[in-house]
């Protein structure tokens, strides 16, 4: 596998792989299907974002296909989906671009189950809904920043990262700062139960968000 890039079609790796790999999947069908547009069957931007965070946390890249109509143009649903993915990355891109996998890829209920993919590994989009406990980790290239991508917005405005508890084997030192990526510093406490972070009142309620931890 060192001589080529391992590719999982419409799937994801089970965990962190030592060599870079990729997922190739599509927001709909590989070739343009008018019925997918007619009945709005495309993958949502939120599902793609969560899939992307999971893939990157495992040392992978996402190659996403957007099939075009016969005149070479995307349809209205595709434009909306791609625009929403781009808007999320514009805010949270620091947690995705040029990052590296951390010591573990994530935590939460979604890490305890493995939905079989169509060809290999896990399915690209999870069939079970994510919870605010489902978190994916990445780190900056220089290893100085840890990012925690929370895959579902908590209704109470509070996040607990259990892997970063005061007695964590993954983070033994002190923490000096927690910041909302694309936002400002956040109030936090840390005890044996985890890192507890309070979110600002105005928080995007549609898609995942990322925390930057130092």
């Amino acid at each position: 596998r060192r001589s080529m890039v391992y590719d999982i079609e419409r799937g994801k790796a089970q965990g962190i792989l030592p060599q870079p790999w990729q997922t190739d999947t599509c927001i709909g069908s590989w070739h343009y299907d008018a019925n997918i547009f007619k009945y709005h069957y495309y993958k949502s931007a939120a599902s793609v974002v969560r899939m992307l965070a999971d893939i990157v946390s495992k040392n992978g890249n996402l190659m996403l296909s957007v099939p075009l109509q016969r005149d070479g143009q995307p349809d209205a649903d595709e434009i909306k989906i791609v625009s929403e993915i781009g808007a999320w990355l514009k805010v949270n891109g620091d947690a995705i671009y040029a990052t590296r996998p951390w010591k573990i890829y994530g935590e939460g209920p979604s890490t305890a189950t493995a939905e079989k993919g169509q060809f290999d590994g896990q399915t690209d989009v999870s069939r079970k809904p994510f919870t605010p406990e489902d978190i994916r980790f990445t780190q900056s290239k220089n290893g100085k920043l840890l990012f925690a991508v929370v895959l579902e917005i908590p209704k109470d405005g509070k996040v607990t990262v259990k892997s970063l508890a005061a007695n964590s084997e993954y983070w033994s030192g002190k923490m000096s700062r927690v910041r909302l990526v694309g936002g400002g510093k956040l109030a936090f406490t840390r005890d044996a139960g985890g890192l507890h972070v309070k979110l600002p009142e105005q928080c995007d309620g549609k898609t995942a968000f990322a925390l930057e931890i130092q």
Side-chain angles (χ1 to χ4, degrees):
R1 287 187 178 175
R2 291 184 180 184
S3 66
M4 61 189 74
V5 176
Y6 177 42
D7 179 276
I8 306 176
E9 183 178 347
R10 290 196 183 276
K12 302 178 298 189
Q14 302 277 12
I16 298 173
L17 298 184
Q19 300 296 328
W21 59 279
Q22 71 181 20
T23 290
D24 72 289
T25 191
C26 184
I27 65 170
S29 182
W30 287 119
H31 299 281
Y32 190 80
D33 185 337
N35 281 327
I36 294 178
F37 173 56
K38 181 179 179 180
Y39 296 107
H40 309 293
Y41 286 157
Y42 289 119
K43 290 180 175 68
S44 68
S47 68
V48 172
V49 163
R50 292 174 180 125
M51 173 176 59
L52 173 64
D54 184 83
I55 290 167
V56 174
S57 73
K58 297 171 179 175
N59 202 27
N61 298 287
L62 171 60
M63 186 163 59
L64 184 68
S65 173
V66 180
L68 303 178
Q69 300 173 87
R70 68 179 69 184
D71 62 357
Q73 297 297 314
D75 63 40
D77 281 6
E78 292 176 319
I79 291 172
K80 183 176 183 293
I81 293 165
V82 171
S83 297
E84 289 177 354
I85 295 169
W88 188 87
L89 285 168
K90 188 174 182 179
V91 175
N92 298 279
D94 286 351
I96 300 295
Y97 296 125
T99 58
R100 299 293 184 270
W102 192 49
K103 298 172 183 177
I104 56 174
Y105 75 86
E107 67 178 47
S110 61
T111 63
T113 60
E115 298 174 357
K116 183 72 172 65
Q118 186 175 353
F119 298 103
D120 196 5
Q122 298 176 347
T123 183
D124 55 354
V125 175
S126 175
R127 289 180 283 270
K128 293 182 179 180
F130 290 105
T131 73
E133 295 180 349
D134 289 308
I135 298 170
R136 297 296 181 265
F137 300 109
T138 61
Q139 62 178 326
S140 59
K141 190 175 180 179
N142 59 14
K144 293 182 178 181
L145 299 174
L146 173 65
F147 298 101
V149 183
V150 182
L151 300 183
E152 183 63 49
I153 310 294
K155 293 180 179 179
D156 62 0
K158 299 176 182 178
V159 176
T160 294
V161 186
K162 295 178 181 178
S163 300
L164 298 178
N167 57 354
S168 171
E169 63 180 297
Y170 307 115
W171 190 303
S172 57
K174 294 182 178 180
M175 290 180 185
S176 59
R177 186 183 72 173
V178 176
R179 185 178 72 87
L180 183 67
V181 175
K185 293 182 180 179
L186 300 175
F188 70 93
T189 59
R190 193 181 180 205
D191 57 28
L195 171 67
H196 309 284
V197 182
K198 181 174 175 55
L199 299 175
E201 292 185 6
Q202 297 296 326
C203 188
D204 180 8
K206 296 180 180 179
T207 317
F209 63 90
L211 302 174
E212 178 190 282
I213 303 161
Q214 274 186 300

